[in-house]
Amino acid sequence: QEQLQESGPGLVKPSETLSLTCTVSGGSISSYYWSWIRQPPGKGLEWIGFIYYSGSTSTNYNPSLKSQVTISIDTSKNQFSLNLSSVTAADTAVYYCARGSTMTWLRYWGQGTLVTVSS
Amino acid sequence: QSALTQPASVSGSPGQSITISCTGTSSDVGGYDYVSWYQQYPGKAPKLMIYDVNRRPSGVSNRFSGSKSGNTASLIISGLQAEDEADYYCSSYTSSSTLVFGGGTKLTVL
């Protein structure tokens, strides 16, 4: 069964860039939809965006975050990454990576990683 | 995009059936049969319970089912069990080729 694992700094300063990586094991990163989702403490889920790779790459982002977000993929390492720029305290959340066979549902999830934005 | 609307909480007794609603618009829930439902325990990652409105992934109990009418989707849990106590989130594909989640519903088993 496929496993996903998020990694990256747990603390980021305001105005800096939050960078996370999701490592996929037990399967290929090609031909699936890979998403990032976040959950502020005590609040609900928010979809950040997805990336799809099958020879070429396509992405789409939550319109409310589009100016801040970049998602990229490294097929040689079976990883995909999230960059969120100009962060504020409102970006403090548990960040999850997830996979779907289509972009309409998320079948496999990582365990999540807490990122705190604070000086 | 605006979050889908879910009740903040629902409750039921063991053995009963409960329904959690998820209301959107014609640009998301009403426009596509791409509603999914997730179960989340405290401190854990969400788990896919229903996709494409009423399809169950392998390994999910048949006590969980889904339906949709117009702009409102529903998750139905029959034969309620103590282990069903969790947060539940709906999600829908949108006309902008994005995903949008509901605000979440806390299910309490009395």
Side-chain angles (χ1 to χ4, degrees):
Chain A
Q1 180 173 318
E2 203 152 74
Q3 293 190 328
L4 291 75
Q5 179 68 59
E6 306 89 350
S7 59
L11 181 64
V12 179
K13 289 182 168 55
S15 80
E16 295 189 343
T17 295
L18 180 159
S19 295
L20 295 174
T21 295
C22 183
T23 300
V24 179
S25 57
S28 172
I29 203 167
S30 296
S31 303
Y32 289 110
Y33 290 81
W34 304 96
S35 283
W36 287 99
I37 304 95
R38 70 181 183 180
Q39 185 172 34
K43 296 188 178 180
L45 300 170
E46 180 180 34
W47 181 78
I48 298 171
F50 83 86
I51 189 164
Y52 175 82
Y53 176 79
S54 182
S56 62
T57 300
S58 62
T59 57
N60 204 4
Y61 304 127
N62 186 323
S64 66
L65 299 171
K66 197 166 189 174
S67 63
Q68 288 182 267
V69 176
T70 303
I71 298 176
S72 58
I73 196 165
D74 186 338
T75 56
S76 67
K77 295 181 179 179
N78 243 32
Q79 296 176 333
F80 65 105
S81 298
L82 168 71
N83 276 359
L84 186 69
S85 63
S86 305
V87 296
T88 69
D91 295 307
T92 293
V94 174
Y95 286 77
Y96 295 99
C97 59
R99 191 210 96 177
S101 298
T102 73
M103 77 145 295
T104 58
W105 44 270
L106 303 162
R107 181 70 173 95
Y108 297 107
W109 292 64
Q111 65 185 22
T113 187
L114 174 63
V115 180
T116 301
V117 178
S118 174
S119 55
Chain B
Q1 56 194 26
S2 299
L4 307 175
T5 301
Q6 298 181 233
S9 63
V10 299
S11 63
S13 299
Q16 287 185 331
S17 293
I18 63 96
T19 299
I20 299 174
S21 62
C22 171
T23 301
T25 69
S26 58
S27 295
D28 39 64
V29 174
Y32 307 92
D33 287 337
Y34 293 140
V35 175
S36 52
W37 289 91
Y38 301 87
Q39 177 190 62
Q40 186 181 35
Y41 293 115
K44 299 296 186 182
K47 174 186 175 183
L48 179 68
M49 305 301 284
I50 296 288
Y51 67 100
D52 293 354
V53 175
N54 56 14
R55 302 184 69 170
R56 269 189 316 275
S58 59
V60 172
S61 171
N62 60 9
R63 298 186 298 105
F64 291 83
S65 61
S67 66
K68 192 187 86 166
S69 177
N71 294 340
T72 298
S74 297
L75 173 70
I76 305 100
I77 308 175
S78 60
L80 205 58
Q81 299 179 0
E83 67 199 48
D84 299 331
E85 186 163 295
D87 294 327
Y88 291 84
Y89 293 89
C90 63
S91 174
S92 176
Y93 179 75
T94 81
S95 58
S96 302
S97 299
T98 62
L99 284 181
V100 61
F101 283 100
T105 298
K106 180 177 180 59
L107 169 62
T108 300
V109 180
L110 301 171

